[in-house]
Amino acid sequence: MNVAAALTYWVIVAIWLTVLGTIAFFYVRNPRAFGATRLLLAALCIDTLRNVFENVYFGLYFGSVYGFLSPEVATVMGAPVLLIIPKLLNIIAGLVVLGLLLLRWLPLAVKERDQSVQRASDLETLASADFLTGIYNRRYFEKLATAELARCQRYMRPLSILMIDIDHFKSVNDRLGHAAGDRILQNVAALCRAEKRESDIVARVGGEEFAIMLPETTEVAAVQLAERLRQQVRESTPTVDGQMVSVTVSIGVAGASTRTSGVSALMQQADEALYQAKRSGRDQVVVWRIHDAERLDQAAE
């Protein structure tokens, strides 16, 4: 029993030294991977060193008491003044560890979590936004619009979509350059954003094509918004390199129903109305009608 009691302290020392060596090994190999965890590791290292010192001290003391070491070791280490040292180290180590955890690690861990959430939000925004105009891109628009269409069909609520195309955009690029084209795209996007309600979804879905999903909006109300937007674009005349540029848009409007098979089908209907507006002279709003689609199919045949 005496042997087991004396060896117990050294087994504990071996365990804590293994912990300390493991921490050092992984930290040396990956020093930048820990972040706020460094403070947690520092606290663990302090507590480990405290445990090592305490168990070495009592391992030597009881090794001497049980006759494995010189009896003088127990005489020296058993002095009350020296016996209190491990307990003082316990108190000091405990205060340092608590200070690191409560005053440094905890606030830093919360800050890193907030930063991680913000980075994730920023990445989601980058993945969902069109880099030039700042509004949604087509992929994210279709994702949101799909959910909105399902909701409106489930509760039998009106839903409309606008497909907007800038008239003669290629000629603007050819005459004034791509920088001017970018400026016009940004201007139209800003006007779309200004006209939409908070619940509406606006996106750039093509080179010079935009879409606005209008929940809780009938075709009649959608046409009114489209006319306002068309007029706003016509009157905006952005300035590019000191030159006023006249811009117009053609807009196709389509309303969803319980028979609408999906967002792609609804966008296709609005696109057909948009092409009809283009063929009819541009700078106008056209509403999709099923007989119009049938007539177009017949013409194609």
Side-chain angles (χ1 to χ4, degrees):
M1 289 297 295
N2 290 345
V3 174
L7 288 177
T8 298
Y9 293 101
W10 298 105
V11 171
I12 295 173
V13 169
I15 291 172
W16 282 109
L17 285 175
T18 302
V19 171
L20 191 62
T22 303
I23 293 172
F25 174 77
F26 281 100
Y27 183 80
V28 168
R29 293 194 62 180
N30 307 278
R32 298 183 179 180
F34 292 97
T37 313
R38 293 178 183 179
L39 290 172
L40 195 60
L41 293 179
L44 185 57
C45 287
I46 291 171
D47 193 55
T48 299
L49 290 172
R50 189 267 310 165
N51 267 289
V52 168
F53 177 84
E54 184 175 0
N55 283 283
V56 166
Y57 187 96
F58 287 108
L60 292 172
Y61 175 76
F62 284 107
S64 175
V65 169
Y66 295 141
F68 299 107
L69 298 172
S70 171
E72 291 152 1
V73 174
T75 303
V76 174
M77 301 186 75
V81 174
L82 294 179
L83 279 175
I84 203 173
I85 290 177
K87 300 307 177 185
L88 287 175
L89 285 177
N90 263 335
I91 295 172
I92 294 170
L95 291 175
V96 172
V97 168
L98 284 175
L100 283 174
L101 293 180
L102 298 181
L103 300 180
R104 291 289 299 161
W105 175 77
L106 192 57
L108 190 57
V110 171
K111 181 181 178 181
E112 282 197 355
R113 179 190 175 279
D114 291 343
Q115 290 174 340
S116 177
V117 170
Q118 184 60 49
R119 282 194 295 269
S121 176
D122 292 342
L123 287 173
E124 183 178 356
T125 299
L126 288 173
S128 63
D130 174 63
F131 74 97
L132 178 64
T133 60
I135 58 179
Y136 290 136
N137 56 31
R138 185 184 188 107
R139 182 183 63 82
Y140 200 69
F141 174 83
E142 291 181 350
K143 176 183 176 181
L144 296 178
T146 298
E148 193 58 51
L149 176 61
R151 185 190 71 82
C152 290
Q153 289 179 325
R154 184 182 306 117
Y155 298 109
M156 305 288 289
R157 304 300 301 166
L159 175 72
S160 298
I161 188 171
L162 308 183
M163 296 298 290
I164 305 150
D165 191 85
I166 301 174
D167 297 328
H168 303 296
F169 184 72
K170 184 177 183 302
S171 66
V172 173
N173 272 338
D174 292 341
R175 287 186 295 109
L176 303 175
H178 289 285
D182 290 348
R183 175 71 182 86
I184 290 170
L185 288 170
Q186 291 167 341
N187 183 66
V188 172
L191 292 172
C192 290
R193 204 162 35 215
E195 283 295 328
K196 83 176 190 70
R197 303 163 302 179
E198 185 176 352
S199 59
D200 298 338
I201 307 167
V202 61
R204 181 185 177 198
V205 295
E208 65 271 18
E209 194 170 19
F210 299 83
I212 305 179
M213 177 70 79
L214 305 168
E216 303 292 334
T217 306
T218 63
E219 281 187 0
V220 174
V223 169
Q224 292 173 349
L225 185 147
E227 286 289 359
R228 287 199 309 271
L229 177 60
R230 184 188 66 81
Q231 193 65 28
Q232 287 285 339
V233 173
R234 185 181 182 85
E235 294 173 357
S236 66
T237 57
T239 302
V240 179
D241 295 331
Q243 180 180 349
M244 301 287 286
V245 181
S246 178
V247 180
T248 62
V249 293
S250 299
I251 303 177
V253 181
S257 69
T258 55
R259 296 187 300 275
T260 303
S261 60
V263 169
S264 295
L266 186 60
M267 293 176 71
Q268 179 61 35
Q269 292 170 1
D271 259 333
E272 290 174 2
L274 171 62
Y275 295 145
Q276 182 61 40
K278 291 282 191 183
R279 283 189 291 268
S280 300
R282 295 181 171 82
D283 190 22
Q284 58 185 281
V285 176
V286 172
V287 181
W288 183 85
R289 292 286 182 266
I290 189 167
H291 56 78
D292 294 333
E294 291 171 351
R295 188 163 61 248
L296 287 172
D297 289 341
Q298 292 170 2
E301 293 173 359

